[in-house]
Structures are given as structure tokens and as C-alpha cells.
Amino acid sequence: MSLPDWNLIKSKLSILADAAKYDASCSSSGSHRKRDAKGMGNVEGMGICHSYAPDGRCISLLKILMTNFCIFDCKYCVNRVSSDVKRAKFSPDEIVTLTLEFYRRNYIEGLFLSSGIIESSDATMEKLIQVAKTLRQVHRFNGYIHLKVVAGSSQELIEEAGLWADRVSANVEMPVQKDLDILAPAKTIESATTSMNQIAEKVSEAKEEQKKSFRFRAPKFAPAGQTTQMIVGATGSTDSLILNSSQSLYRKYALRRVYYSAYSPIPHSDVLLPTEQPQLVRENRLYQADWLLRFYNFEAQELVNDENPDLPLDMDPKSAWALRNRQYFPVDVNSAAREQLLRVPGLGVRNVERILQMRPHRKISLLDLGKLRVPLKRTKYFVITSDHNPDVFLLDSQHLKKNIAPESTQLSLFDIKQTAVSGEI
């Protein structure tokens, strides 16, 4: 077996790792694959950790494209066929070698693999599957693998990809077909959702088979589920369109996550695209609203509607909702239902659970909330506690928005970072 040309691989890696940075859907949560005695890699414990770049993107995996050659001409994509970027292409064996060598050196804990489309969707998907299959079968690699489902891939290949990957994802790219017609006319939302539906059915089917199989373990299928990605700010689509689309995808296809990626201006871009990157705080507000949809029982229409089509940038979406719906408050922390507590600004899921656990044993005061590290600056105007809370009488004050606003730009940035990681709002 001849040794690889490491200088050539290094050159390809610099191109294809950079080309992959625009895909945000690479979180590795949700899988439980473990190392066996003769293999390597482990999703749990020391094997996988999460790391985020300053813009919020996960960087803990070897995140590369197999190639940035592409037959599509999506205007928002730096790798479109009409782009003059430097091109490169890895062979499946080269990606396998890179993954194993990087893993052995503790550089990475898993692989996120996507690709431009060459020859055809199925031909490209077959090569991505070959990488995952070789890692699993030949090298007994049990680290995390996330495979991107190439747009237009056949059902048979999608089903095979899920056998080798922990997570698969089909990017919907835009919230409505009208946006795709303008920027990526070769793609359709229907194609992406068809893939999502096939994945969701197969995941459900595999889980049922595993429950029934007592003697022989049925094969797992994408145990970490599926995700998708939407690009934010490349078109004039409002947050209302984006969040309603996300809500629909969560309910229909049981997605683990919808990732929001703020559009990044690319060299020699089309005149239809904005010349400046949208504010990253918009991406963060969408992530906060997304948490409210998934864990706080909010409906998208409660956060954004015809009257307020975009999320406010100066305030988190739950606080903004509370200001518009003051008749819902105050909420008594000693008697309110879980669903009511989740709507109080500053009370996250974990603290609501702690409050519910404390209530049978003691009456909860404002001091107790402070000990739970609840941000009283926001919360105290919306709750009744066992002790005297004079601030609750300011609930209808016209200055309430100013009172609960972050004190400084620095604190606001810290708050954004914390909520982006924990989802506590």
C-alpha cells in the first residue's frame, strides 16, 4: 500500500475544510454509540466534546466537504458551478485516512461530511456512504459521523446512509419555495421534505424493530436523528416565515434541530444577494425563539405575526412576548402550573423544574429565586412570591421595557452567549 501524498492532502484540506464552514448543522448531540473492545471512537464521555466558534458554529468534528466541485448554481453558495473559487476533491479513502489519523491524534472526535454534487445526486451520495461504511466496517470506527443527504438522493441510498451515520441531515435552505426559485432554482423544498419524511419513517421503523428484537438486535438507523439548516438574511423572508416553517418541520418530521445560518457575503456574488452580512443577533434571536417552540410550549404565531413579523433585536423573544401579554401575569411561583412558569421571563426549564421540586417542602420567596440564579432584574416584575415583592405592582408601567432591558452592551453579549449554549430564556 503506497503512502499518501500528505502535501497534496494538506492542500485539499485547506480548501475543503474552508468550504464546509458555511454549513451550521453539525451538532453531535443525541447519539449513544460506544467503543467496542477491538474498535476505536466513542460518541460518549471523553470521545466527543462540543466546541463553538465565536459565531456559534460547532468546530469539534472534522468538518469537510468531499469536494467543492458542484453542478448546481445556487446563488448564495460559494461553491456554485459559476464560482471561480479553487476546487479540490478528496477520494473516499483519503477522507477515511484523515478521519482516523486526526482521531488518533485527538484532534477531532468525529466526522461531519458533506459535498458539492458531482455527476449526479446518487453518485455523490454513494461516495459519502462509502466513507462512513469503510470507517464502520473496515476500521470499526465508533466515533460520531454526520452525513449530509445530497439533494435529490434516492430513497435506497438515504436508507443506507442512516445505517452507518449517527445523524443525517437534508438542508431545506430557505423557508419558502419562492426564495429557492430566485436563488436556487434547481432545488425544491418538496425534495428536501421528501427526504426528511423518508428518514423520519425509517427512524421510527428502526426504533420499533429494536423494541421487538429480543434475541438479535435490529440495526440502528440514524440514532441521533435528523437536522436541517436554513439560511437567514439572503432574502427578505421575515422571521415569521422562518419560524412557522421550522415549527411545521419539527411537527411533521420529528427533527432534532433546525439550524439558522446567517448569510455570509461571498466573492463575486449575484446582484440579488445583500452585500452585507445580516446582524448575527438576528440569528441568535431565532435560536432563542426555536428553543421556545421546542421546550416552552410556545406557538410560532405567539412570537411573530402579521403585526410583528420579525423578532425584536433588542430583547429576547420571551420577554418581548411577556410585554405584549401583560394580562397573563403576575404568576404565583407557589401555585402556578409548569406551563405558566415557563412563560415567565428569566425562568428557564431547569429552574422551573427546581421550583416544582421545592414547592412541596417550602414556600418560595424572591430570595429563593435569587439563590437559584434566576435573573431577578427581568423576573421580579412578573411573579408573586411568598414574601413582599413591590416590583410586581410596576407590571403595567410604561417604563417596564426599559426596566428589564440589559444594563450594558457587554452584559447583553454575555447573556446572548449563555442562552445560545443552554437555551435558558
Side-chain angles (χ1 to χ4, degrees):
M1 180 179 173
S2 61
L3 294 174
D5 183 342
W6 289 109
N7 286 330
L8 178 59
I9 287 181
K10 185 178 178 182
S11 173
K12 292 180 183 179
L13 187 61
S14 67
I15 296 172
L16 296 174
D18 185 69
K21 69 184 180 184
Y22 298 98
D23 200 317
S25 55
C26 65
S27 170
S28 62
S29 59
S31 187
H32 304 283
R33 193 183 298 275
K34 294 181 178 179
R35 177 178 59 237
D36 62 36
K38 297 181 180 178
M40 69 174 73
N42 191 340
V43 166
E44 295 183 321
M46 297 294 288
I48 286 285
C49 63
H50 300 270
S51 179
Y52 294 88
D55 58 0
R57 292 180 173 84
C58 176
I59 56 173
S60 61
L61 312 175
L62 173 58
K63 182 180 175 184
I64 55 173
L65 298 186
M66 185 174 67
T67 179
N68 63 345
F69 287 99
C70 190
I71 60 176
F72 282 11
D73 198 26
C74 307
K75 292 180 172 58
Y76 51 80
C77 181
V78 70
N79 302 313
R80 66 193 185 281
V81 67
S82 59
S83 174
D84 61 355
V85 295
K86 287 183 71 173
R87 306 282 180 173
K89 178 185 173 186
F90 276 129
S91 69
D93 286 343
E94 287 175 327
I95 297 174
V96 169
T97 301
L98 271 178
T99 304
L100 295 175
E101 293 302 318
F102 279 17
Y103 188 87
R104 289 186 177 111
R105 288 163 174 77
N106 204 27
Y107 295 164
I108 53 103
E109 292 81 26
L111 171 68
F112 172 88
L113 183 60
S114 184
S115 180
I117 301 176
I118 49 174
E119 300 177 29
S120 67
S121 297
D122 278 356
T124 307
M125 196 70 228
E126 285 175 356
K127 289 185 171 60
L128 297 182
I129 292 171
Q130 185 182 339
V131 173
K133 189 174 180 179
T134 305
L135 282 168
R136 296 290 193 222
Q137 284 198 323
V138 178
H139 299 283
R140 305 176 70 87
F141 179 77
N142 268 332
Y144 183 86
I145 297 179
H146 181 156
L147 287 185
K148 184 66 65 181
V149 171
V150 178
S153 298
S154 66
Q155 182 173 353
E156 292 74 18
L157 291 175
I158 291 173
E159 291 182 1
E160 186 173 5
L163 293 177
W164 309 116
D166 294 277
R167 173 168 284 175
V168 291
S169 58
N171 281 356
V172 71
E173 306 288 17
M174 298 286 167
V176 292
Q177 184 60 43
K178 185 176 72 173
D179 289 351
L180 277 181
D181 290 341
I182 296 171
L183 299 180
K187 292 184 176 179
T188 65
I189 288 180
E190 183 181 4
S191 174
T193 54
T194 298
S195 298
M196 290 178 194
N197 189 49
Q198 292 166 351
I199 295 166
E201 288 183 351
K202 198 65 186 175
V203 168
S204 177
E205 182 183 316
K207 286 180 178 176
E208 287 300 315
E209 289 297 320
Q210 287 213 320
K211 288 179 184 175
K212 296 175 185 174
S213 58
F214 297 105
R215 293 185 178 179
F216 304 102
R217 296 191 66 185
K220 293 180 179 178
F221 182 89
Q226 60 171 326
T227 61
T228 192
Q229 171 180 284
M230 270 191 246
I231 300 168
V232 176
T235 65
S237 284
T238 62
D239 294 343
S240 177
L241 283 174
I242 293 169
L243 288 175
N244 277 290
S245 175
S246 296
Q247 181 174 267
S248 175
L249 294 175
Y250 280 128
R251 291 178 176 175
K252 289 181 179 176
Y253 309 114
L255 298 186
R256 289 294 181 90
R257 291 289 298 272
V258 175
Y259 289 90
Y260 307 97
S261 179
Y263 167 71
S264 299
I266 53 179
H268 313 298
S269 62
D270 192 276
V271 294
L272 294 173
L273 292 166
T275 55
E276 295 184 0
Q277 185 173 13
Q279 294 185 60
L280 285 177
V281 69
R282 183 187 177 192
E283 183 183 280
N284 180 261
R285 296 300 182 215
L286 284 168
Y287 276 117
Q288 290 179 322
D290 189 275
W291 277 79
L292 295 180
L293 298 183
R294 290 186 293 139
F295 301 113
Y296 291 75
N297 300 321
F298 275 83
E299 296 284 330
Q301 293 84 351
E302 294 180 277
L303 304 173
V304 282
N305 49 42
D306 291 341
E307 189 178 347
N308 301 287
D310 290 309
L311 297 167
L313 299 181
D314 61 346
M315 179 167 291
D316 71 83
K318 188 158 80 168
S319 295
W321 176 86
L323 287 176
R324 294 196 303 270
N325 295 275
R326 301 187 198 194
Q327 73 281 0
Y328 189 88
F329 302 98
V331 166
D332 190 334
V333 296
N334 286 292
S335 60
R338 181 178 185 275
E339 291 72 22
Q340 292 175 292
L341 293 173
L342 285 173
R343 301 230 162 194
V344 177
L347 286 188
V349 174
R350 285 181 296 183
N351 272 334
V352 166
E353 296 301 332
R354 288 171 183 151
I355 288 170
L356 293 175
Q357 290 170 7
M358 290 170 60
R359 285 201 317 207
H361 306 287
R362 59 185 298 176
K363 291 291 184 182
I364 298 171
S365 66
L366 210 56
L367 182 61
D368 291 324
L369 295 182
K371 289 179 179 177
L372 291 176
R373 298 185 181 276
V374 169
L376 294 180
K377 177 179 170 58
R378 271 186 288 160
T379 304
K380 62 185 179 182
Y381 301 100
F382 300 94
V383 294
I384 297 172
T385 53
S386 63
D387 53 349
H388 179 56
N389 175 20
D391 291 307
V392 75
F393 297 108
L394 299 176
L395 179 59
D396 294 321
S397 167
Q398 61 178 332
H399 302 298
L400 184 56
K401 179 177 180 180
K402 181 180 177 182
N403 290 344
I404 67 175
E407 290 180 354
S408 68
T409 303
Q410 184 177 359
L411 285 175
S412 175
L413 288 173
F414 178 76
D415 184 53
I416 286 173
K417 181 181 178 183
Q418 287 292 97
T419 58
V421 173
S422 68
E424 296 286 302
I425 305 170

